[in-house]
Amino acid sequence: MIDFTKYAGPNLGGVVNKLLDDRHSDYLGIKMDTPFTRVLVLLILGAAFSAFYRIVYGLGASTNLNDYWPWGLWISFDVLGGVAMAAGGFIIAAMVYILNWKKYKCIVRASILNAFFGYLLAAISICLDIGRSFVIWHPMVMWQVNSIMFIVAVHVVLYTSTLATESSPMVFEKLGLGRALNGVNRCMVGIVLFGVLLSLLHQSSLGAVYLIAPSKLSPLWYGKYIPYMFLVSAIMMGLSMVSFETILTGKVFNHAPPRDVLEGLARGIVVIGCIYIAMKVVHLVTGPGLGGLFRYGFLGFMWLLEMAVGAFIPVVLLMKKANRRNLHVLFAANILVIVGVLLNRLNVGIFAVSDFPNRVGGDYFPSFMELMLTSGMIAFAILGFKLCAKYLNLFPQTHH
Amino acid sequence: MTISRRGFLKGVASGGVVLATGVPAAEARMSKDLPPEAVGLLYDATLCVGCKSCMVNCKIQNSVPGGALYQQRMAAGVKEALFCTRPAVAEEPTSPPTYETTGIKGNEGIWDAPQDLTGDTISIIKVYRNGTGEKKDAPLNGYAFFKQQCLHCITPACASVCPAGAFRKDPVNGSVYYEAYRCIGCRYCQIACPFNVPRYEWDSPWPEVRKCQLCRHRFKEGKYSACAESCPTGATIFGKVTDLRAEAKKRFAMKPGTEYDFPIRTLTSGDTTLRKVAGYADRIFGLSEAGGTQNLMLSGISFDLLGFNKDVPNSALPDLTWAYIAKIPWVFLGVFLGGTTLHAITSRMHVNGKDKDKDKDKGEKHD
Ligand code: SF4
Ligand code: SF4
Ligand code: SF4
C-alpha cells in the first residue's frame, strides 16, 4: 500500500492511510481494477461531461425537454426512482434501532449506505435538472409552505444529512475517533426516528407533487391517494432493493447472505405488496374503472405492465414458502419489484402526462445527454457502494 | 447524553404541536377571494379579426425594464439571484423585442413569426380552421381566432407550487407576476398551470420563466394592458374583474343578431363599435375554471374544439395539495410519539428477555 504520510504530511497522510486501509475487508475479495469497474468509470466520465455541457449550454442544448414536457427522464428516473430505491434505508434502520429486531442488524449499514447513494443520485440529478443550478438553495431561505416542491427540497437536504450521520459511525470507526463514534451511537435512536419521519413524508410528498395536476396526469395514476401509493410502493421497493443487494453482494463479494434475514424481507415484500395491490385495484375501480384500462389505450397497457411486473407476479411468486427460501426465485422476484416500481415512476413522470401534450402536438424522448447522465449516475452509485464495501466495515456481523 | 436526546425529542415534539395548531400555516394558505381591486381582460373571440396588433404591442411594451419579456443581462441576473435581492428597475437599457423566426427562410429577425406561446412570446393569436373555412365563428366549415395567455387565476396553481415564491399574486390588483431573482428553474409551475401558460427559456444557460403579467409594470404609469390598448375591434378589453364579468354575462345572454355597442380598449373608454352579436358557444371561460380566473374569454366555438384542456377542474387547485400539507404536522407528532413508545416497549422487552442487570438504555448502544 502507498504510504500517504510521505506525500501529505503526518496528519493528513495518516488519515488517508487509515481510510485506505482495507485489510478488514480482504475476506470479501473485492478487486478494484476489473473491466466492469472500468466501464463504470467510463460511464461516470460521460455523465460528468453531460453535466458540464448542461451547465454551460443550458437545458435546451442538452435535453429534449420542452414546454409541454418540462420534466423528463431525470426527474422520473433519477429523482422519483432514486428516492424510491432508497426507501430500504429507513425501513431497516427503523426495524433495527426502533423496533429492536436485531436479526436485521447485519444489513443495516449496507442498506443505509444504499439509501445514501440513492439520495445522492437524486440530489445531483435535480441539481442539474433545475435551470439555475447555482441557486438550488433558494427554497431554504425563501420558504413557501404551499409548495410540495419546497417540502421535497427541505426533506432532501435534511434526509441526506441524516443518512450521512447514520453512516458516519463506519468512517469514525475507521479513523479511530472513539468520542465522535460514541456520540453518534448514543443519539442513533433519535436520528433514526428523525430519518423515518423524513422518509415517510418525503416518499409520499413525491407523489403529492402531482396532486396539483389533475388535468394533466392520467386518471389511471392520478388520485387523492397518490402520495400514499408512492409511499407503499417505495417501501415494497426498498425491501426488495435491500434483499437484492444482500444476495448480490453475497454473490460477488465472498460472504454468505443470511438466510433468515432474506426470508423475513421476502415476507415483508408479500405483505406490503398485497397492500399496494389492494390500493391500486381499489383506485382503479373507483376512479377510471376497469374499462379505463382499455379506454386509455397505451396507458392502460403501461398500467398493466407496471402492476404485473412490479406487484402481481412477484407477490404470487413469494407467497410460496419454498420460493422465499429459494435464492434464485427470490432474486428474480426482487428484480421484478424493482423494475416494476421504477416503471411506475417512469409512467407517472413521463407517460401519464402525455395525454394533453400529445393532443397539441408535443413530444418527448430523452436525449443522448439525458441518457448518458442517468446511466452515469447509476454507475456512480454502484462504484460508490463498491468502494465503501472495500474501505469501510460494511458487513460488521460477518467480519471474522 | 441521554438527557440531551430526550430534550431534543421534546423540542421537536413541542415544535410539532405549534405547527399542528396551524398558526403560521393558516396565514400561509392561499386566498380564494377575488382581490379588492382585481383587474383583468375580457377577450371576445367573435370580435377578433386576427390582426395580431395585441401581440405586436405586447412584445414591444414588455421589452422595457420591468416588463415580462425584458431580457436582463446575464451577469446582472446571476448576481441578483445569488444575493437574493429584488432587481432595481430601469437601470438597464430597453432590450430589443424577442422576435421569433421559427426557422422560416428569409426571416432574419425581420418579422415575428411565433407558432405557440414560448419563452419569447407570452400572448398569441391562433386560428381555428375547419373544412372549407368559409364562415367566421362556425365550428363546421368555419374559422375563428383565439388568444392564449396567462389567465391570472384567482387562486393560481403556479404561485402555490413555486418552492421559492418566484410566482406571486398581487394582493390588490390580483395580477400574477414573476420575480426572476427567486426562481430556481424547477419548472413545477409549468406542470401545475392547468392552462399550460408558463414557458421556459430552454436555450438560455440562465433561464427565466415567461408569461403575461398583465402589464403590471405599466399600471404605475397610469397605463393598462398593452394588448387591450392596441386592439382596434374591442376583442380584448381591460377593466375591473367584477365589471368584466357583468359585461361577459350580458353578452352571453344576448340573442344572436342583436345590435350592441361593444366597448373598445377599456370598459370605460367611451369608445364603442356597433356590431351584431354573433352568438356564443359553451360558456364564459374563466368564471369557474380552476376556481375562477381574472381574465375571461368568450367564443363562438366551444373551447374544447379550440384545443383548450378540457379536464381542468372547476375548483381551486391549490386546495388539492393543501389537504396533504395540512396533515404534515400531525405526521410529525404521530411518528415521534409512536416511534418513542414503540422503541421504549421493544427495548424493555429486549432487556427483560435477555439480561435484566444491564443498563436500561441498552437498546440504544451499538458497537
Ligand atoms: S393561468 Fe397558469 S400561469 Fe396564469 S395564473 Fe393561472 S396557473 Fe398561473
Ligand atoms: S421554475 Fe421558477 S417560477 Fe417556476 S416553480 Fe420553479 S422556481 Fe418557481
Ligand atoms: S396583458 Fe399580458 S398579453 Fe396583454 S400585452 Fe400585457 S403582457 Fe401581453
Side-chain angles (χ1 to χ4, degrees):
Chain A
M1 218 180 89
I2 311 159
D3 181 10
F4 275 92
T5 42
K6 275 191 210 137
Y7 304 102
N11 289 334
L12 187 64
V15 171
V16 175
N17 274 351
K18 271 188 197 159
L19 273 177
L20 290 185
D21 173 15
D22 60 351
R23 268 164 297 166
H24 61 86
S25 66
D26 276 351
Y27 73 99
L28 291 173
I30 305 171
K31 277 203 273 323
M32 256 9 252
D33 189 19
T34 62
F36 182 60
T37 321
R38 288 181 183 197
V39 173
L40 291 182
V41 171
L42 226 95
L43 285 174
I44 295 172
L45 287 178
F49 172 72
S50 42
F52 171 78
Y53 193 84
R54 141 77 193 89
I55 298 258
V56 175
Y57 295 102
L59 282 164
S62 49
T63 71
N64 282 345
L65 297 171
N66 54 67
D67 284 322
Y68 287 105
W69 244 291
W71 290 351
L73 182 72
W74 292 349
I75 293 286
S76 323
F77 190 91
D78 301 23
V79 179
L80 299 184
V83 169
M85 274 192 258
F90 91 91
I91 306 164
I92 305 297
M95 296 197 314
V96 172
Y97 293 122
I98 296 177
L99 300 177
N100 285 307
W101 295 355
K102 299 290 175 197
K103 160 169 115 178
Y104 296 95
K105 191 146 186 199
C106 56
I107 54 168
V108 74
R109 285 189 167 181
S111 48
I112 288 178
L113 192 72
N114 164 39
F116 183 59
F117 278 109
Y119 266 82
L120 216 55
L121 199 146
I124 297 175
S125 294
I126 202 163
C127 197
L128 289 169
D129 186 83
I130 67 167
R132 297 178 157 194
S133 308
F134 298 108
V135 294
I136 192 165
W137 43 270
H138 269 182
M140 300 301 137
V141 296
M142 297 176 176
W143 286 47
Q144 211 288 86
V145 297
N146 282 287
S147 169
I148 301 277
M149 186 65 73
F150 163 72
I151 288 161
V152 167
V154 172
H155 287 161
V156 171
V157 172
L158 288 180
Y159 192 54
T160 312
S161 352
T162 308
L163 283 171
T165 320
E166 282 175 5
S167 306
S168 64
M170 284 188 277
V171 180
F172 292 148
E173 211 175 82
K174 201 74 204 280
L175 298 178
L177 298 173
R179 297 236 324 258
L181 184 63
N182 272 339
V184 174
N185 276 342
R186 282 225 185 90
C187 307
M188 201 55 140
V189 178
I191 297 170
V192 169
L193 202 54
F194 192 52
V196 170
L197 171 74
L198 290 174
S199 297
L200 289 176
L201 288 174
H202 190 225
Q203 297 289 356
S204 58
S205 51
L206 283 181
V209 158
Y210 287 91
L211 282 175
I212 195 90
S215 60
K216 295 198 182 155
L217 195 68
S218 157
L220 285 174
W221 284 275
Y222 184 86
K224 225 167 110 188
Y225 298 109
I226 188 173
Y228 313 105
M229 291 197 261
F230 260 59
L231 175 62
V232 174
S233 57
I235 294 180
M236 182 170 78
M237 166 116 146
L239 290 171
S240 303
M241 197 70 205
V242 172
S243 170
F244 166 80
E245 208 174 68
T246 313
I247 302 176
L248 189 71
T249 45
K251 271 189 192 157
V252 290
F253 311 153
N254 308 317
H255 87 113
R259 289 301 183 111
D260 55 333
V261 167
L262 289 177
E263 236 186 290
L265 290 175
R267 268 202 307 276
I269 296 171
V270 173
V271 174
I272 305 289
C274 287
I275 299 176
Y276 183 58
I277 291 174
M279 285 174 90
K280 286 291 263 190
V281 171
V282 169
H283 169 252
L284 180 69
V285 175
T286 56
L290 281 179
L293 290 181
F294 305 100
R295 202 164 59 246
Y296 296 105
F298 176 67
L299 290 183
F301 168 73
M302 292 307 282
W303 191 97
L304 277 176
L305 186 67
E306 143 198 342
M307 283 310 285
V309 172
F312 296 138
I313 299 175
V315 166
V316 168
L317 271 181
L318 295 182
M319 287 255 190
K320 273 222 331 280
K321 190 161 191 175
N323 280 342
R324 291 203 292 268
R325 292 215 168 128
N326 182 332
L327 274 195
H328 297 292
V329 179
L330 188 55
F331 196 61
N334 287 333
I335 294 179
L336 283 178
V337 173
I338 294 166
V339 172
V341 179
L342 280 178
L343 193 61
N344 167 264
R345 302 306 195 256
L346 279 181
N347 275 342
V348 170
I350 296 182
F351 293 108
V353 292
S354 63
D355 201 31
F356 182 71
N358 279 344
R359 236 183 294 149
V360 291
D363 207 353
Y364 169 75
F365 189 83
S367 71
F368 181 65
M369 291 263 177
E370 285 177 86
L371 292 167
M372 193 150 83
L373 186 94
T374 296
S375 37
M377 295 305 291
I378 300 170
F380 165 74
I382 299 176
L383 189 63
F385 193 85
K386 197 170 171 186
L387 281 171
C388 289
K390 187 169 172 69
Y391 292 112
L392 299 171
N393 190 7
L394 205 50
F395 305 101
Q397 244 71 5
T398 44
H399 176 198
H400 287 296
Chain B
M1 270 311 199
T2 324
I3 293 164
S4 78
R5 180 175 63 79
R6 287 208 185 112
F8 162 74
L9 289 184
K10 225 167 148 190
V12 176
S14 53
V17 175
V18 172
L19 269 181
T21 56
V23 180
E27 280 167 25
R29 193 176 180 178
M30 303 202 57
S31 159
K32 280 190 276 180
D33 302 323
L34 197 64
E37 309 280 322
V39 286
L41 299 168
L42 170 62
Y43 172 74
D44 188 333
T46 64
L47 298 177
C48 182
V49 294
C51 71
K52 302 190 178 183
S53 308
C54 52
M55 288 171 60
V56 174
N57 210 28
C58 174
K59 260 196 189 167
I60 294 170
Q61 298 299 333
N62 277 290
S63 297
V64 300
L69 281 173
Y70 180 61
Q71 299 282 332
Q72 195 184 24
R73 266 176 304 203
M74 190 168 141
V78 174
K79 201 175 124 207
E80 280 161 7
L82 287 178
F83 291 102
C84 300
T85 47
R86 213 170 286 264
V89 180
E91 256 183 20
E92 293 180 73
T94 298
S95 62
T98 49
Y99 285 161
E100 289 187 66
T101 60
T102 318
I104 297 172
K105 267 215 187 99
N107 178 359
E108 266 104 48
I110 303 166
W111 78 93
D112 194 18
Q115 299 296 301
D116 199 354
L117 293 178
T118 65
D120 291 328
T121 302
I122 54 181
S123 71
I124 191 162
I125 298 290
K126 290 186 181 173
V127 65
Y128 166 90
R129 222 181 280 125
N130 179 280
T132 54
E134 276 160 6
K135 203 164 168 295
K136 187 158 190 310
D137 299 313
L140 279 177
N141 289 332
Y143 72 98
F145 301 103
F146 62 99
K147 192 178 189 214
Q148 284 185 334
Q149 66 177 94
C150 171
L151 297 175
H152 297 274
C153 302
I154 294 172
T155 320
C158 58
S160 90
V161 298
C162 179
F167 269 127
R168 357 199 76 202
K169 188 168 177 76
D170 190 299
V172 180
N173 63 38
S175 58
V176 179
Y177 63 101
Y178 172 75
E179 289 190 328
Y181 80 92
R182 290 172 168 267
C183 179
I184 61 170
C186 65
R187 310 185 297 284
Y188 194 10
C189 47
Q190 293 195 293
I191 296 277
C193 172
F195 309 107
N196 279 294
V197 167
R199 300 293 157 127
Y200 206 52
E201 293 184 317
W202 294 101
D203 293 328
S204 160
W206 197 253
E208 285 188 31
V209 182
R210 303 283 186 180
K211 76 168 195 66
C212 153
Q213 304 182 26
L214 209 57
C215 288
R216 66 194 306 275
H217 64 295
R218 287 160 53 89
F219 295 174
K220 278 167 247 144
E221 306 158 22
K223 295 181 187 151
Y224 55 94
S225 301
C227 51
E229 188 187 62
S230 62
C231 177
T233 65
T236 305
I237 53 171
F238 178 86
K240 279 193 73 170
V241 175
T242 40
D243 300 343
L244 291 176
R245 280 179 181 172
E247 174 75 18
K249 282 178 190 160
K250 190 162 80 187
R251 290 185 196 179
F252 195 75
M254 276 191 273
K255 259 211 208 83
T258 332
E259 295 215 316
Y260 178 63
D261 271 318
F262 289 93
I264 301 181
R265 296 195 298 278
T266 69
L267 274 175
T268 51
S269 67
D271 290 344
T272 56
T273 165
L274 189 69
R275 299 262 225 118
K276 285 203 173 91
V277 173
Y280 301 103
D282 233 9
R283 61 188 192 270
I284 303 170
F285 197 99
L287 284 186
S288 60
E289 280 73 15
T293 61
Q294 290 187 194
N295 287 1
L296 305 170
M297 289 191 285
L298 285 167
S299 160
I301 295 174
S302 86
F303 290 97
D304 292 356
L305 276 182
L306 294 182
F308 284 83
N309 189 349
K310 58 184 185 319
D311 302 319
V312 178
N314 286 326
S315 57
L317 297 175
D319 278 359
L320 297 167
T321 352
W322 189 260
Y324 171 84
I325 294 176
K327 292 195 190 95
I328 292 179
W330 299 108
V331 176
F332 251 84
L333 212 63
V335 169
F336 266 96
L337 295 181
T340 15
T341 323
L342 270 180
H343 174 66
I345 296 173
T346 50
S347 305
R348 186 149 309 146
M349 275 164 35
H350 200 69
V351 173
N352 287 349
K354 282 195 182 155
D355 195 347
K356 284 180 185 162
D357 310 329
K358 282 217 174 138
D359 181 356
K360 255 195 171 181
D361 274 349
K362 173 163 191 296
E364 288 147 29
K365 295 220 169 136
H366 313 285
D367 38 307

